[in-house]
Amino acid sequence: MPIPATPFIWFNGKLVPWEKATVHVLSHALHYGSSVFEGVRAYQTPTGVAIFRLKDHTRRLFDSAKIYRIQMPFGPDAVNDACHQVIAANELKRGAYLRPVAFRGYGEIGVSPKNDPPTEVAVAAWEWGRYLGSHEGEAVGVDVCISSWNRVAPNTLPALAKAGGNYLSSQLIASEARRLGFAEGIGLAPDGTLSEGSGENLFLVKDGILLTPALAHSVLGGLTRDTVIRLARERGIEVRESALPRELLYICDEAFFTGTAVEITAIRSVDRLTVGDGKIGPVTSALQSAFYGLFSGKTPDKWGWLDHVDMSAPKVAASG
Ligand SMILES: Cc1ncc(COP(=O)(O)O)c(C=O)c1O
């Protein structure tokens, strides 16, 4: 589905018309993958539109830039403010998906030029629904496979950085899975243990214990992952972050993905083997309710994760 355009994108410090937020074909990032980005959701809540864990996403954006030594021309407050601006200026009252991105732009060419090309920063936002398929996927779970492609090995590409180039690995995993008729693929870590989906973290439930690959297993430190771990512990569910053998996925009671795009999506089968009894299990269901309750008001936001947007904020004069 094409991206549903909104009137404005925040680009290098100001709001510009959507179609004017363009870059030069010789931009460094286009050739060498030198971008860092975030995927953030804003939800419609009973107390207005709120961005979920915005400061944590912005922190990860700056961490990703630090790992790749990309100089940021704006501070975190400016990026947070830009996220608020694109929601208010585009009147995204029903919530939105936000895409902050920073990248090495147009300057010198070469992998590591003498003078770093200037970093460009943009934040776009638009309405976006389900990622892995559908409301059906959410209700019954998705069918996935183990990919023939492993995730990146430690000390090759840094998995904790959410960087454009890292997503070549994700593209291989996701496109293979979809070619084979699955909704998503799961990559193994280089040691053959479970890692994560192409754009989601992975959780298993076995005998009431919630299991997820530890950060050392080539995963992105997902904010939804962290949210689920906290919500689970708060509900007395034991959580273990560790190395997990592939076959545990075939014999677990429940499995699900977490991510800003997929939120909490149950996994119905892996490599055509049904997970548990093929229905959404009690732990998955309890965590889904707790998670979505954050946005309906049923789950108290005691962590201050909801960052409310002032929709009546004066619109910044848009310029071309
Ligand atoms: C590779 C990968 N793993 C995990 C995640 C989940 O992270 P988060 O929950 O912060 O969206 C994402 C999405 O950003 C991702 O791209």
Side-chain angles (χ1 to χ4, degrees):
M1 195 184 81
I3 303 170
T6 54
F8 303 114
I9 288 179
W10 185 95
F11 195 29
N12 294 327
K14 62 183 180 183
L15 291 171
V16 302
W18 177 277
E19 61 282 359
K20 295 240 168 112
T22 54
V23 298
H24 197 280
V25 291
L26 291 176
S27 294
H28 192 273
L30 204 52
H31 299 253
Y32 307 114
S34 49
S35 64
V36 292
F37 67 101
E38 277 302 314
V40 189
R41 268 194 200 267
Y43 290 87
Q44 191 178 29
T45 78
T47 46
V49 177
I51 308 176
F52 186 55
R53 300 196 68 167
L54 174 61
K55 291 193 180 71
D56 295 322
H57 278 285
T58 301
R59 169 80 203 266
R60 189 171 66 185
L61 180 75
F62 280 76
D63 286 348
S64 301
K66 185 176 185 186
I67 291 169
Y68 275 104
R69 297 168 193 266
I70 294 173
Q71 298 295 327
M72 293 292 280
F74 299 96
D77 289 348
V79 173
N80 290 338
D81 189 51
C83 291
H84 281 253
Q85 280 188 44
V86 286
I87 292 185
N90 291 313
E91 298 181 19
L92 293 163
K93 298 191 185 86
R94 300 195 301 171
Y97 179 81
L98 293 117
R99 172 53 59 88
V101 60
F103 55 94
R104 289 198 168 107
Y106 172 73
E108 290 182 27
I109 202 79
V111 172
S112 182
K114 189 155 171 258
N115 300 301
D116 232 3
T119 305
E120 305 211 50
V121 184
V123 183
W126 62 89
E127 271 193 34
W128 200 31
R130 301 267 87 80
Y131 175 66
L132 277 186
S134 54
H135 290 286
E136 198 213 270
E138 175 146 312
V140 300
V142 291
D143 301 310
V144 308
C145 65
I146 301 285
S147 179
S148 69
W149 293 98
N150 280 5
R151 291 283 295 148
V152 294
N155 222 18
T156 57
L157 292 178
L160 287 186
K162 193 168 169 64
N166 292 19
Y167 280 80
L168 288 170
S169 154
S170 295
Q171 289 176 47
L172 291 170
I173 291 170
S175 68
E176 179 187 65
R178 282 159 204 167
R179 231 175 21 249
L180 297 174
F182 295 97
E184 182 57 297
I186 292 171
L188 299 178
D191 65 357
T193 62
L194 294 173
S195 178
E196 63 177 350
S198 72
E200 315 83 19
N201 291 114
L202 176 66
F203 282 85
L204 281 61
V205 181
K206 180 81 175 148
D207 299 327
I209 298 169
L210 191 57
L211 305 162
T212 193
L215 291 186
H217 299 282
S218 304
V219 303
L220 182 71
L223 291 164
T224 323
R225 176 184 183 276
D226 178 70
T227 303
V228 161
I229 290 173
R230 286 170 194 250
L231 290 172
R233 289 200 169 126
E234 212 202 6
R235 277 154 187 74
I237 299 167
E238 188 183 337
V239 185
R240 290 188 201 153
E241 298 175 67
S242 63
L244 300 172
R246 168 182 181 155
E247 59 274 24
L248 202 53
L249 204 42
Y250 300 142
I251 57 170
C252 63
D253 306 317
E254 303 176 38
F256 59 87
F257 284 131
T258 64
T260 298
V262 297
E263 300 171 311
I264 300 178
T265 297
I267 297 173
R268 178 169 61 180
S269 72
V270 183
D271 293 342
R272 309 275 183 229
L273 291 170
T274 304
V275 173
D277 63 4
K279 304 207 173 67
I280 296 185
V283 175
T284 309
S285 173
L287 291 169
Q288 282 177 330
S289 302
F291 178 76
Y292 295 115
L294 287 163
F295 316 119
S296 67
K298 278 196 190 139
T299 305
D301 175 25
K302 60 183 213 188
W303 298 272
W305 283 335
L306 298 180
D307 204 317
H308 284 89
V309 180
D310 181 0
M311 299 297 278
S312 66
K315 307 279 176 295
V316 177
S319 51

